[in-house]
Amino acid sequence: MSKRKLPIFATVLTFIGFLLLYLPMFLVVQQSFNASKHGLSWGGFTLDWYTGLFDNAMVQTTTVNTLILAVVSTLVATFLGTLLAIGIHRTPWGKKMRYFYDMSINVPVVTPDILMAIALAVVFALFRSWTSFFEPGMLTMIIAHVTLEISFVVLVVQSRLVSIGKEQIEAARDLYASTAGAWCRVILPQLSTAIISGALLAFTLSLDDFILSFFTSGPESQTLPLYIYGSLKRGISPQIHALSSIIFSLTLFVMLLLVLKGIRKEHKLAKSK
């Protein structure tokens, strides 16, 4: 059978879509090598903006803060989200309670970030009237990010639990496995991909978040999104272009590794058949 060719308009629309997605990022990469500070014209090729990153203490501090925030909030959200997904799915709740839990999980996903940020700022202000433990800083930012990320982790893990079903636990216990043994040897290995996917999603959300961080951060807990936003008022430095290019390159590298891993896995499955 001959393959059908795509209509010309579909090819053009696809090309335009990819152009709109990646042209801005490639322009940022191009400007990171531009010797002209303002980027209005090409001033020659240079690597000074990349080497300058190692001398920029503010960029280094905000990068470390961003990674700490992303890693800690991802670990907490993944752990709590996985436990919550298991509890909701495995407990024989009634229809009304299950509907309530499902709605509670989906509300943070569909609620605009600005509303969540304002609500958290009000809650932290209330807590500060009792204790100074909730002063704006890294702790409040971690709590805010976990609040956002946990629902996404629950949704990812819960969808995998639905496909696994409840029969495997019963079958394992029929074969004299303890409940803990059944979970560790049967269910968790099958959940591992979903847990990792939820963790990667949470990590990406944390790295990308600006609004929650803006409302809950302190003077000593600035992150890269906040630093870049502050740079807009002074004019974006070419070092920001260089930093963005590095992050973009690392993301592409990780994506290529995952794609190559998937292709190798498909080849192995094809050979085994």
Side-chain angles (χ1 to χ4, degrees), residues 69-125:
L69 175 61
V71 171
V72 175
S73 63
T74 296
L75 291 175
V76 175
T78 303
F79 178 73
L80 295 179
T82 301
L83 292 181
L84 184 56
I86 293 172
I88 293 175
H89 181 74
R90 294 294 177 177
T91 305
W93 305 104
K95 289 184 179 180
K96 291 183 179 180
M97 287 301 297
R98 181 169 292 278
Y99 176 78
F100 171 76
Y101 285 129
D102 290 340
M103 183 181 65
S104 300
I105 294 300
N106 284 280
V107 164
V109 176
V110 299
T111 300
D113 287 354
I114 185 67
L115 296 182
M116 287 191 63
I118 293 173
L120 287 168
V122 172
V123 170
F124 290 143

Side-chain angles (χ1 to χ4, degrees), residues 19-37:
L19 194 66
L20 292 174
L21 284 172
Y22 292 103
L23 180 61
M25 197 61 242
F26 283 119
L27 289 177
V28 171
V29 175
Q30 179 258 329
Q31 288 299 323
S32 69
F33 297 106
N34 188 1
S36 176
K37 185 174 182 179

Side-chain angles (χ1 to χ4, degrees), residues 27 51 62 65 76 94 96 109 114 133 137 142 152 168 208 222 224-225 234 255 257 267:
L27 289 177
T51 57
T62 54
N65 288 341
V76 175
K96 291 183 179 180
V109 176
I114 185 67
F133 195 65
I142 290 173
F152 291 90
Q168 295 192 30
D208 189 51
Q222 296 293 297
L224 278 175
R234 304 183 298 271
M255 291 301 298
L257 287 181
H267 284 322

Side-chain angles (χ1 to χ4, degrees), residues 140-157:
T140 55
M141 293 173 72
I142 290 173
I143 295 173
H145 281 221
V146 169
T147 304
L148 172 67
E149 296 164 13
I150 193 169
S151 293
F152 291 90
V153 175
V154 171
L155 291 175
V156 173
V157 175

